[in-house]
């Protein structure tokens, strides 16, 4: 890495965002980071230096993708199948009248993103997906486009479960981590606290749930009125919380791509209870690397059983750690990305 250039993050007023949501043919995500200064610097770099590859990270940066079938090779790294995330958000929010505004937003974005995401995939030279499920969805969305799976990864040594993390949590602690201004994470902890946690507390009276992540919205703080719930806000390092958890929970009901939180928890040797969607994209065997539950009753039952069964927790912890080491170590993943770069256009 020889040079890094930065530009100010573009700002949009709430009024402008509302108008573009209603009137622009482009999805909201494509309108978050437009910057004339960024584009000028990008074009100048491409004119003055020879690059073999330009990698475009995520749908927000896709407006800058200029693939032309020559050199440099333009590679689009699609973190999530974004239209699917909005479709799932709509299907979840429409069931709750007080969330119909969010449902309407997601419905509009779902329709716009289907068209836009397909157009981006056709514009670039190579498309990367993070899972086989995402690859299949993108190829249906843009028939004829070649999509290569390069999964997300971790450095297992950076997530050493034997490290002595300077944090002490209650023996019956449950932990969830993620950006708390992200709608799927907000929905996940609201569902867990309202539907699952009361069932767990009825059997494990000293259970404590930690919501770990930056920027929790104001309405989420009301959850911490329950003495069994702690909202940390921003922390410098999530690893101590995951490592000290009794059970790590992934109660996601909205999402796409693959959840890095799953890999982090497995790498740290944690027993995990997840919804089917929470571990989507990972070739796991339920009951071996983690436990899957999709109803409040099943989720609570699995959490309670794990909190009380040290042997089962340890079996899951060993299998999860081994799963990450064998499949998701960056040392095994990077060569696959290099093969995408080396392929002919």
């Amino acid at each position: 890495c020889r040079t890094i250039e930065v530009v100010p993050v573009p700002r949009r007023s709430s009024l402008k965002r509302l108008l573009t949501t209603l009137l622009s043919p482009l999805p909201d995500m494509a309108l978050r980071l437009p910057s004339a200064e960024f584009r000028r610097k990008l074009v100048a770099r491409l004119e003055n230096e020879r690059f073999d590859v330009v990698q475009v990270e995520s749908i927000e940066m896709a407006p800058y993708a200029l693939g032309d079938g020559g050199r440099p090779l333009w590679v689009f790294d699609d973190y999530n199948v974004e239209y699917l995330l909005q479709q799932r958000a709509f299907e979840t929010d429409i069931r709750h009248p007080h969330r119909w505004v969010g449902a309407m937003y997601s419905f509009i974005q779902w329709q716009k993103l289907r068209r836009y995401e397909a157009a981006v995939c056709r514009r670039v030279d190579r498309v990367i997906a993070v899972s086989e499920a995402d690859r299949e969805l993108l190829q249906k969305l843009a028939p004829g486009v070649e999509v290569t799976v390069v999964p997300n990864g971790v450095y297992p040594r950076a997530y050493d479960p034997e490290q002595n993390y300077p944090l002490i949590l209650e023996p019956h602690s449950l932990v969830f981590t993620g950006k708390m201004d992200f709608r799927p994470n907000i929905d996940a902890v609201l569902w867990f606290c309202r539907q699952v946690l009361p069932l767990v507390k009825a059997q494990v009276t000293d259970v404590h749930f930690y919501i770990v992540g930056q920027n929790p919205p104001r309405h989420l703080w009301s959850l911490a009125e329950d003495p069994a719930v702690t909202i940390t806000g921003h922390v410098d390092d999530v690893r101590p919380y995951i490592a000290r958890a009794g059970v790590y929970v992934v109660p996601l009901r909205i999402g796409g791509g693959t959840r890095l939180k799953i890999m982090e928890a497995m790498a740290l040797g944690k027993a995990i209870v997840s919804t089917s969607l929470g571990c989507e994209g990972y070739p796991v065997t339920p009951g071996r690397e983690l436990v899957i539950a999709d109803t409040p009753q099943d989720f609570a039952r699995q959490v309670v059983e794990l909190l009380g069964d040290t042997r089962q927790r340890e079996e899951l912890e060993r299998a999860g750690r081994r799963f990450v080491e064998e499949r998701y170590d960056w040392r095994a993943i990077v060569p696959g990305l290099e093969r995408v770069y080396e392929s002919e256009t």
Side-chain angles (χ1 to χ4, degrees):
C1 181
R2 297 177 183 173
T3 306
I4 296 175
E5 291 190 55
V6 298
V7 300
V9 176
R11 302 293 182 187
R12 281 190 299 165
S13 67
S14 298
L15 176 60
K16 186 173 183 180
R17 184 177 183 187
L18 174 62
L19 291 174
T20 53
T21 296
L22 296 174
L23 303 177
S24 173
L26 296 175
D28 189 33
M29 296 184 77
L31 298 169
R32 290 179 183 174
L33 298 176
S35 165
E37 183 180 358
F38 184 97
R39 186 173 293 277
R40 282 195 300 270
K41 289 190 174 186
L42 175 62
V43 171
R45 272 303 186 87
L46 294 174
E47 288 178 347
N48 296 325
E49 297 183 54
R50 183 185 182 279
F51 293 94
D52 295 309
V53 179
V54 178
Q55 183 153 315
V56 182
E57 296 288 311
S58 80
I59 204 80
E60 289 96 335
M61 299 301 290
Y64 300 106
L66 306 172
D68 59 7
R71 278 289 182 260
L73 186 78
W74 287 80
V75 178
F76 173 49
D77 189 0
D78 201 6
Y79 295 166
N80 300 294
V81 178
E82 296 292 350
Y83 85 84
L84 181 64
L85 192 153
Q86 293 297 336
Q87 178 183 343
R88 287 171 169 170
F90 166 75
E91 291 169 349
T92 299
D93 288 349
I94 197 64
R95 302 171 190 158
H96 309 281
H98 66 283
R99 291 161 65 172
W100 279 357
V101 172
M104 183 57 63
Y105 169 85
S106 290
F107 181 80
I108 294 171
Q109 298 309 312
W110 165 20
Q111 306 308 314
K112 291 182 178 182
L113 278 164
R114 278 185 60 85
R115 296 189 294 270
Y116 185 73
E117 207 158 357
V120 172
C121 289
R122 294 190 181 101
R123 185 191 312 160
V124 297
D125 303 308
R126 294 287 181 271
V127 178
I128 295 172
V130 297
S131 71
E132 185 63 30
D134 278 15
R135 183 188 73 82
E136 293 176 2
L137 286 165
L138 289 174
Q139 289 187 319
K140 287 180 181 178
L141 188 66
V145 171
E146 181 181 347
V147 182
T148 304
V149 176
V150 180
N152 289 315
V154 294
Y155 287 109
R157 286 193 299 178
Y159 291 84
D160 181 2
E162 301 301 321
Q163 181 174 332
N164 185 25
Y165 292 99
L167 180 70
I168 298 175
L169 302 183
E170 295 84 350
H172 293 152
S173 58
L174 310 175
V175 171
F176 174 87
T177 58
K179 287 183 60 181
M180 293 317 304
D181 55 356
F182 185 46
R183 284 175 66 199
N185 290 340
I186 295 171
D187 175 80
V189 299
L190 287 173
W191 179 76
F192 185 83
C193 286
R194 292 169 178 172
Q195 302 294 324
V196 180
L197 188 58
L199 301 177
V200 177
K201 289 166 65 177
Q203 300 182 66
V204 184
T205 56
D206 62 343
V207 69
H208 199 96
F209 180 42
Y210 288 85
I211 301 169
V212 183
Q214 64 183 1
N215 299 329
R218 184 177 303 173
H219 70 274
L220 210 60
W221 284 100
S222 62
L223 298 177
E225 294 173 4
D226 183 342
V229 177
T230 294
I231 299 176
T232 68
H234 170 80
V235 297
D236 292 333
D237 190 350
V238 299
R239 290 176 297 176
Y241 286 89
I242 300 173
R244 296 306 184 202
V247 173
Y248 186 81
V249 295
V250 189
L252 286 167
R253 304 188 300 165
I254 304 170
T258 55
R259 266 54 67 187
L260 291 172
K261 53 175 64 71
I262 289 278
M263 275 193 295
E264 290 179 322
M266 283 186 175
L268 282 165
K270 282 293 105 181
I272 302 168
V273 180
S274 173
T275 58
S276 298
L277 191 144
C279 59
E280 183 182 49
Y282 292 111
V284 294
T285 300
R288 184 169 67 190
E289 292 90 11
L290 50 71
V291 176
I292 295 177
D294 289 309
T295 67
Q297 294 76 17
D298 284 346
F299 209 110
R301 178 175 57 82
Q302 297 289 2
V303 167
V304 170
E305 288 182 3
L306 283 178
L307 287 175
D309 191 335
T310 303
R311 180 176 177 181
Q312 186 185 7
R313 285 203 312 272
E314 291 176 349
E315 289 175 354
L316 289 169
E317 290 165 0
R318 287 193 295 269
R321 173 73 184 186
R322 185 166 58 248
F323 180 81
V324 168
E325 290 175 332
E326 293 174 354
R327 294 174 177 265
Y328 295 100
D329 190 322
W330 279 122
R331 291 173 295 181
I333 293 171
V334 167
L337 182 59
E338 291 175 334
R339 286 193 290 273
V340 174
Y341 297 159
E342 293 165 358
S343 60
E344 294 294 326
T345 58

